[in-house]
Amino acid sequence: HEAGGVLVYGIPEFRLPKDIVRKEVEGLIRLGVDIKTNHVVGRTITVDELFDKGYRAVYLASGAGLPKFMGIPGEALKGVYSANEYLTRINLMKAYQKGSRTPIMQSKRVAVVGGGNVAMDAARSARRLGAEVYVIYRRGKQELPARSEEVEHAEEEGIVFRFLTNPVRILGDDQG
């Protein structure tokens, strides 16, 4: 939706200030790069059509991949988000603001399953929204794929880690 893609909507402001991304994008534009957003190459236009229009080079920025789900019961319950959706709603759509057209559940407790940098971003974002946050990871601390400083920041912010744990189902009730 915006030039910069995941750098704008996936990575929280506290980790990558958006001004830095905007300045980089502006620099590319000054160099003569023509940036088109909201285009699905192959559907809206083909690469051949771009060359026919006079472009001498085409760079396809395909964006973030699709989220991976665990395939367990309860994944479709209200309030269960992929990290991609959660971060996009927060960073791009400002879903935490009152009156948002795409609101996000404001939870008292949040469990983030995974141990990579995206998991740390989701956990730290949930913490900033006031939740008590748990990171659930199937391996030990030494195997966390997230950068060590991201893990340290999460711990400093009060995020609790549960290692050697893997959910087998997600339970819901009329209270969420």
Side-chain angles (χ1 to χ4, degrees):
H1 300 292
E2 291 185 32
V6 169
L7 299 177
V8 173
Y9 62 79
I11 299 176
E13 180 80 22
F14 59 81
R15 192 152 77 86
L16 177 62
K18 302 311 169 224
D19 285 345
I20 293 172
V21 178
R22 282 188 200 95
K23 286 177 185 170
E24 292 296 325
V25 169
E26 289 166 7
L28 291 171
I29 292 168
R30 281 194 304 276
L31 289 172
V33 174
D34 186 15
I35 298 173
K36 301 285 186 191
T37 58
N38 296 314
H39 281 67
V40 180
V41 176
R43 290 193 184 171
T44 0
I45 194 165
T46 68
V47 173
D48 288 338
E49 289 171 329
L50 290 169
F51 285 125
D52 290 344
K53 286 184 173 215
Y55 288 96
R56 296 182 320 180
V58 175
Y59 173 77
L60 301 178
S62 61
L66 295 174
K68 273 177 97 173
F69 289 93
M70 296 175 287
I72 60 174
E75 284 181 337
L77 289 171
K78 183 179 178 183
V80 178
Y81 302 99
S82 71
N84 294 357
E85 178 185 2
Y86 187 71
L87 291 168
T88 298
R89 283 175 173 250
I90 292 170
N91 295 319
L92 182 64
M93 301 173 184
K94 309 298 182 211
Y96 54 85
Q97 293 176 345
K98 192 173 185 141
S100 171
R101 289 181 26 208
T102 58
I104 197 161
M105 284 186 89
Q106 299 272 336
S107 301
K108 293 178 185 167
R109 284 190 311 248
V110 170
V112 176
V113 180
N117 290 322
V118 174
M120 296 307 114
D121 289 346
R124 294 176 68 203
S125 294
R127 183 75 183 110
R128 282 168 170 72
L129 291 174
E132 178 183 331
V133 182
Y134 298 84
V135 170
I136 314 298
Y137 188 60
R138 63 191 168 111
R139 295 187 177 127
K141 186 173 184 176
Q142 302 306 318
E143 289 83 28
L144 278 170
R147 294 172 41 224
S148 58
E149 56 266 26
E150 296 299 325
V151 175
E152 289 169 17
H153 291 308
E155 290 173 327
E156 288 168 3
E157 292 174 22
I159 293 168
V160 178
F161 286 78
R162 297 281 189 241
F163 297 107
L164 303 174
T165 304
N166 207 24
V168 294
R169 70 179 184 261
I170 300 168
L171 302 175
D173 60 20
D174 60 352
Q175 301 299 311

